[in-house]
Coordinates of all heavy atoms in Angstrom, one line a residue:
Chain A
F128 N -31.8 -17.4 78.4 CA -31.4 -16.7 79.6 C -32.0 -17.4 80.8 O -31.4 -17.5 81.9 CB -31.9 -15.3 79.6 CG -31.4 -14.4 80.7 CD1 -30.1 -14.0 80.6 CD2 -32.1 -14.2 81.8 CE1 -29.5 -13.2 81.6 CE2 -31.6 -13.4 82.8 CZ -30.3 -13.0 82.7
Y131 N -29.8 -20.1 81.9 CA -28.8 -19.5 82.8 C -29.2 -19.4 84.2 O -28.5 -19.8 85.2 CB -28.3 -18.2 82.2 CG -27.5 -17.4 83.2 CD1 -26.2 -17.7 83.5 CD2 -28.1 -16.3 83.9 CE1 -25.5 -16.9 84.4 CE2 -27.4 -15.5 84.8 CZ -26.1 -15.9 85.0 OH -25.4 -15.1 85.9
E135 N -27.9 -21.3 87.7 CA -27.5 -20.6 88.9 C -28.2 -21.2 90.1 O -27.6 -21.4 91.2 CB -27.7 -19.1 88.8 CG -26.9 -18.4 87.8 CD -25.4 -18.6 88.0 OE1 -25.0 -18.4 89.1 OE2 -24.8 -19.0 87.0
F142 N -23.3 -25.8 95.6 CA -22.2 -25.1 96.4 C -22.5 -25.2 97.8 O -21.7 -25.6 98.7 CB -22.1 -23.6 96.1 CG -21.7 -23.3 94.7 CD1 -21.9 -22.0 94.2 CD2 -21.1 -24.2 93.9 CE1 -21.5 -21.6 93.0 CE2 -20.7 -23.9 92.6 CZ -20.9 -22.6 92.1
S143 N -23.8 -24.9 98.2 CA -24.1 -24.9 99.6 C -24.1 -26.3 100.2 O -23.7 -26.5 101.3 CB -25.5 -24.4 99.8 OG -25.7 -23.2 99.1
A146 N -20.6 -27.0 100.8 CA -20.0 -26.2 101.9 C -20.3 -26.8 103.3 O -19.7 -26.4 104.3 CB -20.5 -24.8 101.8
A151 N -10.7 -29.3 106.0 CA -10.0 -28.3 105.1 C -10.0 -28.8 103.7 O -10.2 -28.0 102.7 CB -8.6 -28.1 105.6
K154 N -13.3 -28.1 102.1 CA -13.5 -26.7 101.8 C -12.7 -26.2 100.6 O -13.2 -25.5 99.7 CB -13.0 -25.8 103.0 CG -14.0 -25.9 104.2 CD -15.2 -25.0 104.0 CE -16.1 -25.0 105.2 NZ -16.7 -26.3 105.5
A155 N -11.5 -26.8 100.4 CA -10.7 -26.4 99.2 C -11.4 -27.0 98.0 O -11.4 -26.3 97.0 CB -9.3 -27.0 99.4
W158 N -14.2 -24.8 97.1 CA -13.7 -23.6 96.5 C -13.4 -23.7 95.0 O -13.8 -23.0 94.1 CB -12.5 -23.1 97.3 CG -12.1 -21.7 97.0 CD1 -11.2 -21.3 96.2 CD2 -12.8 -20.6 97.6 NE1 -11.2 -19.9 96.2 CE2 -12.1 -19.5 97.0 CE3 -13.8 -20.4 98.5 CZ2 -12.5 -18.2 97.4 CZ3 -14.2 -19.1 98.8 CH2 -13.5 -18.1 98.3
V162 N -15.5 -21.9 92.0 CA -14.9 -20.9 91.1 C -15.0 -21.3 89.6 O -15.4 -20.5 88.8 CB -13.4 -20.6 91.5 CG1 -12.7 -19.8 90.4 CG2 -13.4 -19.9 92.8
L165 N -18.5 -20.9 88.4 CA -18.9 -19.5 88.2 C -18.3 -19.0 86.9 O -18.9 -18.2 86.2 CB -18.5 -18.7 89.4 CG -19.3 -19.0 90.7 CD1 -18.8 -18.2 91.8 CD2 -20.8 -18.7 90.4
V166 N -17.0 -19.3 86.6 CA -16.4 -18.9 85.4 C -17.3 -19.4 84.2 O -17.6 -18.7 83.2 CB -15.0 -19.3 85.3 CG1 -14.4 -19.1 83.9 CG2 -14.1 -18.6 86.3
L169 N -20.3 -17.4 83.8 CA -20.1 -16.1 83.2 C -19.9 -16.2 81.6 O -20.4 -15.4 80.9 CB -18.8 -15.4 83.8 CG -19.0 -14.9 85.2 CD1 -17.7 -14.3 85.7 CD2 -20.1 -13.8 85.1
L172 N -23.3 -16.5 80.3 CA -24.0 -15.2 80.3 C -23.6 -14.3 79.2 O -24.4 -13.7 78.5 CB -23.7 -14.5 81.7 CG -24.5 -13.3 82.0 CD1 -26.0 -13.6 82.1 CD2 -24.0 -12.7 83.3
V173 N -22.3 -14.2 78.9 CA -21.7 -13.4 77.8 C -22.3 -14.0 76.5 O -22.7 -13.2 75.6 CB -20.2 -13.4 77.8 CG1 -19.7 -12.8 76.6 CG2 -19.7 -12.7 79.1
G176 N -25.8 -12.9 76.0 CA -25.9 -11.5 75.6 C -25.5 -11.3 74.2 O -26.2 -10.6 73.4
L177 N -24.4 -12.0 73.7 CA -24.0 -11.8 72.3 C -25.0 -12.4 71.4 O -25.3 -11.8 70.3 CB -22.6 -12.5 72.1 CG -21.5 -11.8 72.8 CD1 -20.2 -12.6 72.6 CD2 -21.3 -10.4 72.3
Y179 N -28.2 -12.6 71.9 CA -29.3 -11.7 71.8 C -29.0 -10.5 70.9 O -29.8 -10.1 70.1 CB -29.7 -11.2 73.2 CG -30.9 -10.3 73.2 CD1 -32.2 -10.7 73.0 CD2 -30.6 -8.9 73.3 CE1 -33.2 -9.8 72.9 CE2 -31.7 -8.0 73.2 CZ -33.0 -8.5 73.0 OH -34.0 -7.6 72.9
G180 N -27.8 -10.0 71.1 CA -27.4 -8.9 70.3 C -27.4 -9.2 68.8 O -27.8 -8.3 68.0
L185 N -34.1 -14.8 72.5 CA -33.5 -15.8 73.4 C -34.2 -17.1 73.4 O -33.8 -18.0 74.0 CB -33.3 -15.2 74.8 CG -32.3 -14.1 74.9 CD1 -32.5 -13.4 76.2 CD2 -30.9 -14.7 74.9
Chain B
M20 N -7.6 -13.3 88.9 CA -8.0 -14.7 89.2 C -6.7 -15.6 89.1 O -6.7 -16.7 89.8 CB -9.0 -15.2 88.1 CG -10.3 -14.7 88.4 SD -11.6 -15.6 87.6 CE -11.7 -17.0 88.6
R25 N -7.3 -16.6 97.5 CA -8.7 -16.6 97.4 C -9.4 -15.3 97.3 O -10.4 -15.1 96.5 CB -9.3 -17.4 98.6 CG -9.0 -18.8 98.4 CD -9.5 -19.6 99.6 NE -9.1 -21.0 99.4 CZ -9.3 -22.0 100.3 NH1 -9.8 -21.7 101.4 NH2 -8.9 -23.2 100.0
M28 N -9.2 -14.2 93.8 CA -10.2 -14.9 92.9 C -11.5 -14.2 93.0 O -12.2 -14.1 92.0 CB -10.3 -16.4 93.3 CG -9.2 -17.3 92.8 SD -9.6 -18.9 93.1 CE -8.1 -19.7 92.8
L32 N -13.5 -12.6 89.9 CA -14.8 -12.9 89.5 C -15.7 -11.7 89.5 O -16.6 -11.6 88.6 CB -15.4 -14.0 90.5 CG -15.1 -15.4 90.2 CD1 -15.6 -16.3 91.3 CD2 -15.7 -15.8 88.9
L35 N -15.0 -9.8 86.3 CA -15.4 -10.6 85.1 C -17.0 -10.4 85.0 O -17.5 -10.3 83.9 CB -15.0 -12.0 85.2 CG -13.6 -12.4 84.8 CD1 -13.4 -13.8 84.9 CD2 -13.3 -11.9 83.4
S36 N -17.7 -10.5 86.2 CA -19.1 -10.5 86.1 C -19.6 -9.1 85.7 O -20.6 -8.9 85.0 CB -19.8 -11.0 87.3 OG -19.6 -10.0 88.4
A39 N -19.3 -9.0 82.0 CA -20.4 -9.7 81.4 C -21.7 -8.9 81.4 O -22.4 -8.8 80.4 CB -20.6 -11.0 82.1
I42 N -21.4 -6.3 78.6 CA -21.6 -6.9 77.3 C -23.1 -7.1 77.0 O -23.6 -6.7 75.9 CB -20.9 -8.3 77.2 CG1 -19.4 -8.1 77.2 CG2 -21.4 -9.0 76.0 CD1 -18.6 -9.4 77.2
I43 N -23.9 -7.6 78.0 CA -25.3 -7.7 77.8 C -26.0 -6.4 77.5 O -26.8 -6.2 76.6 CB -26.0 -8.4 79.0 CG1 -25.4 -9.8 79.2 CG2 -27.5 -8.4 78.9 CD1 -26.0 -10.5 80.4
S46 N -25.3 -5.3 74.2 CA -25.8 -6.1 73.1 C -27.1 -5.6 72.6 O -27.5 -5.9 71.5 CB -25.9 -7.5 73.6 OG -27.0 -7.6 74.4
D68 N -33.8 -0.7 74.0 CA -34.3 -2.0 74.1 C -34.4 -2.4 75.6 O -33.4 -2.4 76.3 CB -33.3 -3.0 73.4 CG -33.9 -4.4 73.2 OD1 -34.9 -4.6 73.9 OD2 -33.3 -5.2 72.5
L70 N -35.2 -5.3 77.0 CA -34.9 -6.6 77.4 C -33.5 -6.8 78.0 O -33.3 -7.3 79.1 CB -35.1 -7.6 76.3 CG -35.1 -9.1 76.8 CD1 -36.4 -9.4 77.4 CD2 -34.7 -10.0 75.6
P71 N -32.4 -6.2 77.4 CA -31.1 -6.3 78.0 C -31.1 -5.7 79.4 O -30.4 -6.2 80.2 CB -30.2 -5.6 77.0 CG -30.9 -5.6 75.7 CD -32.3 -5.6 76.0
L74 N -32.4 -8.2 81.6 CA -31.5 -9.3 81.8 C -30.3 -8.9 82.7 O -29.9 -9.6 83.6 CB -30.9 -9.7 80.4 CG -31.8 -10.2 79.4 CD1 -31.1 -10.7 78.2 CD2 -32.7 -11.4 79.9
T77 N -31.3 -8.9 86.3 CA -31.3 -10.3 86.9 C -29.9 -10.7 87.1 O -29.6 -11.3 88.2 CB -32.0 -11.2 85.8 OG1 -33.2 -10.6 85.3 CG2 -32.4 -12.5 86.5
I81 N -28.2 -12.0 90.7 CA -27.6 -13.3 90.8 C -26.1 -13.2 91.2 O -25.6 -13.8 92.1 CB -27.7 -14.1 89.5 CG1 -29.2 -14.5 89.3 CG2 -26.9 -15.4 89.6 CD1 -29.5 -15.2 88.0
I85 N -24.2 -14.6 94.6 CA -23.1 -15.5 94.5 C -21.9 -14.8 95.3 O -21.1 -15.5 96.0 CB -22.7 -15.8 93.1 CG1 -23.7 -16.8 92.5 CG2 -21.3 -16.3 92.9 CD1 -23.6 -17.0 91.1
F88 N -22.3 -15.4 98.8 CA -22.0 -16.8 99.2 C -20.5 -17.0 99.2 O -20.0 -17.6 100.2 CB -22.6 -17.8 98.1 CG -22.2 -19.2 98.3 CD1 -22.9 -20.0 99.2 CD2 -21.2 -19.8 97.6 CE1 -22.5 -21.3 99.5 CE2 -20.8 -21.1 97.9 CZ -21.5 -21.8 98.8
L89 N -19.8 -16.5 98.2 CA -18.3 -16.7 98.2 C -17.6 -16.1 99.4 O -16.7 -16.6 100.0 CB -17.7 -16.1 96.9 CG -17.9 -17.0 95.7 CD1 -17.3 -16.3 94.5 CD2 -17.3 -18.4 95.9
L92 N -18.1 -18.2 102.3 CA -17.2 -19.4 102.2 C -15.8 -19.0 102.6 O -15.1 -19.7 103.3 CB -17.3 -19.9 100.8 CG -16.7 -21.3 100.6 CD1 -17.6 -22.3 101.3 CD2 -16.7 -21.6 99.1
L93 N -15.4 -17.8 102.2 CA -14.0 -17.3 102.4 C -13.8 -17.2 103.9 O -12.8 -17.6 104.5 CB -13.8 -16.0 101.7 CG -12.4 -15.4 101.9 CD1 -11.4 -16.1 101.1 CD2 -12.4 -13.9 101.6
P97 N -10.9 -22.6 106.5 CA -9.6 -22.4 107.2 C -8.5 -21.8 106.3 O -8.6 -21.9 105.1 CB -9.2 -23.8 107.6 CG -10.0 -24.7 106.6 CD -11.2 -24.0 106.2

Side-chain angles (χ1 to χ4, degrees):
Chain A
F128 192 78
Y131 163 77
E135 295 302 308
F142 295 163
S143 312
K154 286 283 184 294
W158 198 259
V162 169
L165 289 177
V166 171
L169 286 176
L172 188 60
V173 170
L177 289 178
Y179 178 78
L185 288 165
Chain B
M20 285 198 77
R25 287 178 182 175
M28 278 189 196
L32 273 175
L35 282 180
S36 72
I42 288 176
I43 296 177
S46 74
D68 188 349
L70 193 77
L74 299 185
T77 317
I81 291 175
I85 284 170
F88 175 83
L89 281 180
L92 195 65
L93 180 74

